[in-house]
Amino acid sequence: MGVDTPAAEVIRDGLRPVIGVLTSYDVDQLCAKNNLSFCDLLLPFSSLANEVALKDPTNQAVTHSARNLSIDFRDLRKDGFLLAFTVMPHVLSEAVRSTPEDSAASSTTALLGECTWYKSFRDGFLYWAEPAEHEFLRHYLACLLVVSTSHPDPLEQLTKLSQAQHNQQHGGMGQTSGAPAETVAGPAHAATPKWFLPNIFKYHVLVHDVSTGDDRRAEELYQTMKMAYGANACHLLRINSTQPTEATVADMPDPWRQCLERKYRGLHQGLRVARMHALAKAMAASAVDHSAIDASQIPSMNVSSVSADLNNDRPKLSETPRMQWLQAGFLRDYLTVVRDTKAPSSDLPEFPVPRIVTESLKVFYGGHPPASAQVIEDEHRDLFDQTDPEHLWTELEKASWLACSPNTAKLRVATLFKPVVDEGRTPDEHRRPTPANERFTVQTNIVNFLQVPIALCDVSVEYEPMESGKVTVETLDCLVLGAGEEKQLRLWLVPDSEVTSLSVTAIKLSLSPVGADNVPDKSLAVQGRLPLRLRGRRLNSNTQQRTAVVHAPDHRLQPTVTSQPWPLLSVELTARDGSPIDHLTCHCGEIRSFSLRLTNIAAVGVRSVCVVADPLDAVALTRRSATSGADNEELMETKVIDGHTVWTFPHDWNLAPAASSECTLWLRAPQKAGKSAVQLVVYYETESGSQLSPAITPWPHQGGRGTHLALLWKAHVVDRNGKSGFIFGEQWCPVTIPRTSGYEPALAVVQSPPATTEGAPALSFSLPSIDASLSESQSTVASVTCSAVVDRVLIAHDFHAERLCNVPVGLKLTNTSRTAPARVVLRCSNANIAELTAASRGHRGSQSALWLGRTTHSLTLEPGASRSLPLRVSACRPGVYDIANLRLESRLGDSDVPFLVSVPSIFITISDTRS
């Protein structure tokens, strides 16, 4: 032991005589007013400095005297002694963890007794260790029976408490008649109390609250107790439960704080860890035995909670590092038990983690599989992954189905229409067919609700064994799910033509913890399964179904396999130069054409092909016909069904096996910049079945309409590499009609005489003059107008010979006020020069164009006067630039309030002569 902790003190504090305590419910309520139990209340007074006499239970003779005696009071219902081999290690571990570090602990020459962590371990071990059968150091020497004066019948309650102690010690022998005796039911983690003598000494305590109780009644009850049990076996304890005021609480001592922090450090958290490890082993045993398990019982490990109730619907995540450590231990314990107890020939265990989100499960019937199973990332999701509240996928497919089935009555749609991608929204009481030698796809989300990552390896779908035929199953090699992460899996199998039916039952995988560098720890990898349990729609057709929760069967995972071949189209959307389409970058309103090529890769012919898109006004289809000629194309036939435009091929059109057909798909970009997507669904049929081929094209975000004016435009653009070309588009311009008569806010474009060697006219962009009927406040805002003049809007420059291309710009300012002068400040910011070339968007580099000379100009315009400012801009590479994004402020007369003057856009196109 250390010098500051003598052996005698350690023995005195760690091996104190133990006294059991039984209290009535009213005593517990009284002590709880100050957040204490009765044993907690006695803690500061359990060590006696004076000399005391020890007597035998019969109070006959003094057998021994002791000085500095310490007594250990234990509530038999709340504390007890912890079990040695199940809970004790976890409590001691948490006691050490919760001990603050000190300088002695970090010193290599420190004595063991000087380290605070060792003191915590030693004190916890001596306090919580369960007594062995052959030793009496931790056996109860006596029992305190405690009742308060607020009890309706304190003497009767003392009798019940005494009988409860007797029944616990002697196994129910000697029970007296009368009211039922109290029970001594300790906590589950506590060992059964052991007593020092058969006839244990009982001491009776009457607690009286002087702040609320009757002193006279308390004295009368105490005298009655002494006559019944003897004066040496009774005590009247007076306490004051009044809460101190804020003014006095700072000056009052608190002898309980230090004591409680030391006979509870690590207890509650250790019990929680012990419960978690016990639960891990129980769940592992359940998984091996294939009994019912509940994944929601895995603890969320809330630090502030010490409750053993772990039955939450979905554990809440906490980012506390301690909780991550606890759940990592749970996962390792669980996998270790499963690995060590599972017989080699037994069925696979059912894992409680990760959890399958059954609401997200989708089934796809038919289709050729890609190279391997997939984890669908957000940026690679297709139309099957659209989970919007409008059910866009189902609506588009239904519109296509109606277009190809013109004679189907609307009333029969609900019973006849079956979506190819089955999300469980339609009745699934009957088993649906899937084609042989094509994939049967199961897509679902899985979530790791633990706070530690897990690794899933060799992931595949599990199916019931069949009598004949062969099924090829695709396997996903490895997937790491981070803490709280949810991902989407797409798995499939391919039955051959001898298989008649399938039944997918689970997702099979190998579960393991994740080690350093996010690598799976394969030493603890255990193979198991995640069962797929589906239920159909809720039934509501009769009284019994309406009063009870009854669901129809869901057979989405039990399809029949048909040997009859299904149609299958390969859909390719390519640019005119043959390059595939992935992400497009274009101007707002720009119209582009693409080749839509349909190839029949099945063994049966295809007919009744139609295309539906969303949004409906972003797509148009044209194709050559017998009457259109070789160089012209006609607009394909359209139908509007349920608010969707469906483009249909002619009724006599068909596509034989291995044949191809091509049409032109026109896409128009939205009016506002941003990212969006245009969904394209190709629906086709034969006499034997239907199929879809989805396509998705990212596109700028589509904005709203309102009152607009449609403009068809053609623009000449040059990219930063000097490549030039023409683009076409359609722009919807908002139409605004001002309330003030005589004022036209539209932009006027004035063409001046040609003055360029390239044949392009010089353009002047200006705002119209202000009408004299405007009020003074309106004329103040619009008193200064601005027009810009450039000599050339199409400029050819050799950037190899001269690195910079300088362009002169003339800015004309006019004060339209007839009474007051205008003070004008022009600021030329290099950041305001916008390079509009589509290829340059998102480019992170130096500024493409800069203003030369002064960047700030100040001048005064007299009433009705005009003045021109010569400016120059310098560009370092080809492109299309808007150089008129200038900041122009004006102040009219003596006003100090500035008004921004609108500067019209000035577009110049600079090309490289080498291109």
Side-chain angles (χ1 to χ4, degrees):
M1 301 296 175
V3 178
D4 59 339
T5 309
E9 183 179 348
V10 174
I11 294 175
R12 185 185 71 240
D13 292 341
L15 303 176
R16 299 174 293 170
V18 184
I19 307 298
V21 177
L22 284 176
T23 61
S24 61
Y25 71 92
D26 46 289
V27 175
D28 297 334
Q29 292 178 346
L30 182 60
C31 297
K33 294 182 179 179
N34 290 277
N35 299 321
L36 297 172
S37 67
F38 185 77
C39 290
D40 296 339
L41 188 67
L42 300 181
L43 274 178
F45 314 101
S46 60
S47 297
L48 306 176
N50 56 336
E51 186 173 318
V52 297
L54 303 181
K55 299 181 181 182
D56 61 14
T58 60
N59 197 26
Q60 295 297 322
V62 177
T63 60
H64 189 69
S65 61
R67 180 179 295 276
N68 298 330
L69 179 66
S70 294
I71 301 176
D72 188 354
F73 295 100
R74 297 293 183 98
D75 192 316
L76 298 180
R77 293 193 182 99
K78 298 182 178 65
D79 300 328
F81 294 112
L82 297 179
L83 301 179
F85 297 107
T86 57
V87 181
M88 187 69 174
H90 303 293
V91 174
L92 295 179
S93 176
E94 289 302 314
V96 172
R97 282 179 172 273
S98 60
T99 303
E101 297 182 1
D102 59 358
S103 57
S106 60
S107 175
T108 57
T109 60
L111 296 175
L112 187 61
E114 297 176 354
C115 300
T116 56
W117 70 264
Y118 172 74
K119 296 177 183 178
S120 297
F121 176 88
R122 179 196 64 204
D123 295 343
F125 178 80
L126 294 177
Y127 186 80
W128 296 112
E130 177 189 6
E133 293 291 338
H134 64 278
E135 55 95 358
F136 291 89
L137 293 176
R138 310 299 288 172
H139 284 50
Y140 290 102
L141 294 178
C143 184
L144 292 183
L145 308 177
V146 190
V147 69
S148 76
T149 57
S150 62
H151 194 280
D153 193 348
L155 296 180
E156 178 66 20
Q157 183 64 23
L158 286 174
T159 303
K160 292 182 180 180
L161 294 176
S162 178
Q163 188 65 49
Q165 187 280 326
H166 185 276
N167 293 342
Q168 190 280 322
Q169 183 178 0
H170 300 285
M173 294 183 299
Q175 180 173 346
T176 59
S177 60
E182 294 277 330
T183 59
V184 183
H189 58 265
T192 302
K194 298 179 175 64
W195 302 92
F196 193 80
L197 293 172
N199 187 19
I200 202 71
F201 176 67
K202 299 182 181 68
Y203 196 79
H204 307 81
V205 179
L206 180 64
V207 181
H208 177 59
D209 187 357
V210 298
S211 64
T212 59
D214 185 353
D215 294 342
R216 177 179 297 180
R217 182 175 182 271
E219 188 61 32
E220 291 175 355
L221 289 173
Y222 179 54
Q223 295 300 326
T224 306
M225 286 174 53
K226 289 196 295 183
M227 289 188 294
Y229 304 111
N232 294 327
C234 298
H235 182 76
L236 176 60
L237 178 62
R238 293 180 173 90
I239 64 174
N240 187 348
S241 64
T242 304
Q243 295 290 334
T245 61
E246 295 183 359
T248 60
V249 69
D251 300 329
M252 295 182 64
D254 188 0
W256 288 275
R257 181 181 300 276
Q258 183 177 2
C259 298
L260 293 175
E261 288 179 354
R262 290 182 59 189
K263 319 293 166 220
Y264 292 104
R265 177 175 293 160
L267 172 63
H268 295 312
Q269 189 62 28
L271 293 178
R272 222 177 142 67
V273 176
R275 282 195 296 267
M276 182 187 65
H277 283 255
L279 177 63
K281 294 180 180 179
M283 297 183 72
S286 299
V288 174
D289 297 338
H290 298 281
S291 55
I293 59 174
D294 186 3
S296 64
Q297 291 189 13
I298 296 181
S300 60
M301 307 311 296
N302 188 352
V303 182
S304 62
S305 172
V306 295
S307 172
D309 182 14
L310 304 176
N311 296 315
N312 299 322
D313 289 337
R314 184 172 183 139
K316 296 179 180 179
L317 295 178
S318 169
E319 297 180 356
T320 309
R322 177 186 294 273
M323 299 307 102
Q324 298 174 355
W325 175 81
L326 290 174
Q327 290 194 345
F330 166 86
L331 182 61
R332 291 183 176 273
D333 283 353
Y334 173 81
L335 294 175
T336 300
V337 174
V338 173
R339 181 194 61 187
D340 296 342
T341 57
K342 177 183 176 297
S345 59
S346 62
D347 296 333
L348 294 178
E350 294 184 1
F351 289 144
V353 63
R355 176 179 294 139
I356 294 179
V357 185
T358 55
E359 297 81 4
S360 67
L361 190 138
K362 301 178 183 179
V363 175
F364 187 87
Y365 303 92
H368 283 189
S372 62
Q374 294 175 312
V375 178
I376 310 301
E377 304 293 347
D378 289 339
E379 61 269 22
H380 295 127
R381 295 192 174 186
D382 55 26
L383 192 56
F384 300 139
D385 309 303
Q386 305 300 317
T387 54
D388 58 347
E390 301 298 330
H391 308 318
L392 178 61
W393 167 262
T394 305
E395 295 301 320
L396 294 179
E397 183 179 356
K398 186 184 298 183
S400 303
W401 181 78
L402 287 172
C404 293
S405 307
N407 297 325
T408 302
K410 287 269 187 174
L411 296 178
R412 303 183 61 194
V413 172
T415 57
L416 296 179
F417 172 68
K418 298 294 182 183
V420 176
V421 178
D422 197 340
E423 302 178 87
R425 298 193 182 103
T426 55
D428 293 296
E429 290 86 350
H430 303 287
R431 304 177 70 175
R432 296 183 53 184
T434 189
N437 299 316
E438 294 187 23
R439 63 181 178 183
F440 174 76
T441 306
V442 177
Q443 176 180 296
T444 184
N445 289 12
I446 57 173
V447 58
N448 172 25
F449 54 83
L450 296 179
Q451 301 177 47
V452 292
I454 58 175
L456 313 179
C457 299
D458 301 327
V459 186
S460 63
V461 291
E462 180 188 76
Y463 61 93
E464 292 183 353
M466 297 165 301
E467 296 180 357
S468 61
K470 179 182 178 182
V471 176
T472 303
V473 180
E474 190 63 36
T475 301
L476 180 66
D477 293 335
C478 191
L479 165 66
V480 175
L481 280 178
E485 186 177 14
E486 181 173 341
K487 284 191 175 181
Q488 189 175 85
L489 288 182
R490 184 176 293 173
L491 307 170
W492 55 80
L493 47 80
V494 179
D496 64 11
S497 57
E498 296 183 5
V499 178
T500 58
S501 63
L502 278 176
S503 180
V504 176
T505 57
I507 294 179
K508 186 168 58 175
L509 52 90
S510 179
L511 177 63
S512 64
V514 177
D517 299 329
N518 217 31
V519 176
D521 184 1
K522 295 189 176 181
S523 63
L524 281 178
V526 177
Q527 193 175 27
R529 61 197 297 269
L530 302 175
L532 292 169
R533 299 185 177 98
L534 303 181
R535 65 181 185 182
R537 57 192 178 93
R538 183 176 177 179
L539 300 179
N540 195 29
S541 59
N542 53 47
T543 304
Q544 181 181 359
Q545 293 175 352
R546 286 191 291 268
T547 55
V549 180
V550 180
H551 291 267
D554 190 332
H555 293 301
R556 283 182 289 166
L557 298 178
Q558 292 87 37
T560 60
V561 180
T562 174
S563 59
Q564 187 176 9
W566 280 19
L568 190 61
L569 279 185
S570 171
V571 180
E572 296 179 88
L573 187 64
T574 59
R576 283 304 182 182
D577 58 2
S579 59
I581 303 301
D582 186 10
H583 288 72
L584 299 177
T585 302
C586 56
H587 296 83
C588 294
E590 181 180 349
I591 297 176
R592 291 193 183 183
S593 63
F594 304 94
S595 173
L596 183 64
R597 185 178 182 85
L598 307 179
T599 303
N600 186 358
I601 58 177
V604 294
V606 174
R607 64 166 180 83
S608 300
V609 177
C610 59
V611 180
V612 61
D614 185 86
L616 58 90
D617 58 351
V619 176
L621 270 75
T622 59
R623 64 187 299 267
R624 293 189 183 96
S625 64
T627 59
S628 62
D631 298 329
N632 297 317
E633 294 185 355
E634 292 182 349
L635 193 66
M636 294 176 56
E637 181 182 354
T638 62
K639 298 179 181 179
V640 178
I641 301 177
D642 293 339
H644 300 285
T645 301
V646 183
W647 305 84
T648 60
F649 283 71
H651 294 294
D652 57 349
W653 181 90
N654 60 77
L655 197 61
S660 299
S661 180
E662 192 171 328
C663 61
T664 301
L665 179 72
W666 300 85
L667 295 178
R668 182 186 61 198
Q671 307 300 304
K672 295 183 180 180
K675 289 186 177 180
S676 184
V678 174
Q679 286 85 17
L680 301 176
V681 177
V682 179
Y683 185 93
Y684 50 95
E685 285 186 346
T686 64
E687 297 296 338
S688 59
S690 61
Q691 188 61 282
L692 290 94
S693 291
I696 183 168
T697 304
W699 204 264
H701 178 69
Q702 175 73 29
R705 285 295 171 86
T707 305
H708 290 76
L709 177 66
L711 297 177
L712 295 176
W713 52 264
K714 173 183 177 182
H716 180 249
V717 295
V718 180
D719 62 17
R720 62 174 62 253
N721 297 320
K723 185 178 179 180
S724 62
F726 290 93
I727 63 173
F728 303 85
E730 181 185 51
Q731 200 74 22
W732 291 84
C733 301
V735 177
T736 304
I737 302 177
R739 296 183 178 180
T740 305
S741 61
Y743 177 57
E744 296 292 338
L747 184 67
V749 182
V750 182
Q751 179 175 330
S752 57
T756 65
T757 58
E758 300 169 347
L763 297 181
S764 172
F765 302 87
S766 63
L767 288 174
S769 59
I770 305 299
D771 191 89
S773 62
L774 289 177
S775 63
E776 183 64 25
S777 60
Q778 292 172 326
S779 62
T780 300
V781 176
S783 61
V784 176
T785 61
C786 175
S787 62
V789 178
V790 291
D791 293 337
R792 295 175 296 170
V793 294
L794 299 178
I795 301 172
H797 182 78
D798 187 354
F799 284 92
H800 178 72
E802 189 176 359
R803 182 179 178 184
L804 299 178
C805 176
N806 297 328
V807 180
V809 179
L811 199 66
K812 183 178 181 181
L813 305 176
T814 302
N815 182 9
T816 61
S817 174
R818 300 180 180 179
T819 57
R823 292 169 292 158
V824 180
V825 177
L826 174 67
R827 292 182 175 87
C828 304
S829 175
N830 292 324
N832 288 338
I833 301 180
E835 185 177 0
L836 304 180
T837 305
S840 68
R841 293 179 183 174
H843 176 74
R844 298 182 180 272
S846 59
Q847 186 72 25
S848 302
L850 300 174
W851 289 105
L852 300 180
R854 296 170 54 188
T855 58
T856 303
H857 303 265
S858 300
L859 66 153
T860 300
L861 294 175
E862 296 299 328
S866 298
R867 185 171 175 181
S868 296
L869 290 177
L871 305 175
R872 278 201 309 166
V873 67
S874 180
C876 63
R877 52 174 166 255
V880 180
Y881 298 92
D882 182 2
I883 61 175
N885 288 337
L886 306 172
R887 183 177 179 87
L888 186 61
E889 297 179 357
S890 68
R891 292 174 174 82
L892 191 64
D894 297 332
S895 175
D896 292 330
V897 180
F899 294 95
L900 292 179
V901 179
S902 176
V903 180
S905 295
I906 307 173
F907 298 101
I908 59 172
T909 301
I910 303 177
S911 61
D912 196 333
T913 56
R914 295 175 297 171
S915 301

